[in-house]
Amino acid sequence: YFVLLLLIFLLEILAGILAYIYYQQLSEELKTNLRETMIVKYRTPNQESITKAVDKLQQEFRCCGSNSSQDWRESQWVKSGDSGGRQVPDSCCKTMSIGCGVSLHPSNIYKVEGGCITKLEQFILNHLKIIGAVGIGIACVQIVGMLFTCCLYRSLKADTPY
């Protein structure tokens, strides 16, 4: 039983180390893919789920664009003229209404330093801290379990005459 708990404990430590190491790589991938998604796939045919996800992201995190609201200038949706004169999606607006993305005035749209990517990274980091704290709590319980297993083993060994 002790060996099994020790093996699980070591695997948890390994998973934690790998998560820490690959977090930076995940961050870079996230930046690249979010920007590309917003510029290329927003409001394109057969990409309704991506459009909804981007709109929800911008409304939930109160941000606009991947790095800034200026990202939308490069968007296929804006360049093609399908935006109806909007410079940013309506989901960038502080008070969302149809056509509110026409004006880029700071009182109208979210002007967040670093855009949505900064808000999303902060959200992930905050939740990683919670997951890490829970992991440390579980590790402590496992260590106590290993100690009790050793005590039980010694007690049983002492009681058994040879």
Side-chain angles (χ1 to χ4, degrees), residues 92-107:
C92 284
C93 299
K94 292 179 180 176
T95 305
M96 199 167 110
S97 62
I98 296 172
C100 66
V102 173
S103 173
L104 278 179
H105 195 271
S107 66

Side-chain angles (χ1 to χ4, degrees), residues 6 11 23 32 51 117 122 127 130:
L6 182 63
L11 286 173
Y23 173 74
T32 304
T51 300
I117 198 70
Q122 191 60 45
H127 285 80
I130 293 169

Side-chain angles (χ1 to χ4, degrees), residues 1-2 144-160:
Y1 186 71
F2 174 81
V144 169
M146 286 187 279
L147 289 172
F148 283 151
T149 302
C150 289
C151 291
L152 180 63
Y153 176 76
R154 287 185 64 188
S155 175
L156 289 174
K157 190 175 180 183
D159 288 346
T160 310

Side-chain angles (χ1 to χ4, degrees), residues 53-120:
V54 169
D55 287 340
K56 185 168 177 75
L57 173 77
Q58 292 185 140
Q59 278 295 300
E60 293 284 322
F61 289 110
R62 297 179 177 169
C63 58
C64 186
S66 179
N67 297 308
S68 73
S69 59
Q70 302 302 316
D71 291 341
W72 288 108
R73 288 182 178 176
E74 300 170 34
S75 168
Q76 300 296 322
W77 174 65
V78 172
K79 284 182 178 179
S80 70
D82 293 338
S83 64
R86 294 180 189 101
Q87 297 181 50
V88 295
D90 293 339
S91 59
C92 284
C93 299
K94 292 179 180 176
T95 305
M96 199 167 110
S97 62
I98 296 172
C100 66
V102 173
S103 173
L104 278 179
H105 195 271
S107 66
N108 183 42
I109 64 167
Y110 296 113
K111 295 274 189 176
V112 177
E113 191 69 35
C116 290
I117 198 70
T118 304
K119 294 268 195 156
L120 190 57

